[in-house]
Amino acid sequence: MKLRAMLVISLLLSALPVSAAEVDRNAATQHLNALRADSQLAGVLYSMKLEKAARRHAEDMVRRGVFSHSGSDGSGIGDRLTRSGYGWCTAAENIASGQPTLAAVMRAWTLSRGHRKNMLNRSVSEFALVRASGDIWVMVLARPGC
């Protein structure tokens, strides 16, 4: 009986929406490109294809109750981009948890050496940013082709 109850609860939880409010794409682009401009780097464009991959990873983390760059199937950012049909040659991913606003997550990433390095990567030309429930954030930065 306990197993059945746990199965029912798991099914109900997996059916719940895991997306939070939409991220203001224009504001996210302005934040990131201002940081890049301060370092004399070209701006990046927002990509709906990258958003799809970022959203899937954010929702996967929420469903599993984990915080990781690895997907539930062991995938990394490159695997997830390839699987989503994005032909990439450079890719990076920032994740964050708990920041209640776009400004807060961008500030946290800017103050973190590794995250800042990803955002200032000279090789990337596109990005996307999503926020899932529980303030789980995923930013994907990449360059298509090569």
Side-chain angles (χ1 to χ4, degrees), residues 35-96:
L35 176 67
R36 291 176 65 85
D38 285 346
S39 294
Q40 290 78 48
L41 295 174
V44 292
L45 300 174
Y46 197 89
S47 167
M48 296 305 292
K49 287 183 180 181
L50 293 178
E51 182 179 290
K52 182 179 176 182
R55 182 163 314 286
R56 284 183 178 163
H57 185 54
E59 291 174 352
D60 182 45
M61 286 192 289
V62 170
R63 267 193 298 279
R64 294 183 300 137
V66 301
F67 183 69
S68 173
H69 286 286
S70 295
S72 57
D73 59 356
S75 62
I77 181 61
D79 302 315
R80 292 189 294 274
L81 289 180
T82 299
R83 188 175 25 217
S84 71
Y86 186 90
W88 62 279
C89 66
T90 300
E93 178 181 71
N94 287 350
I95 61 175

Side-chain angles (χ1 to χ4, degrees), residues 9 13 21 40 46 94 111 114 123 130 138:
I9 290 170
L13 288 175
Q40 290 78 48
Y46 197 89
N94 287 350
L111 295 173
S123 299
V130 300
V138 176

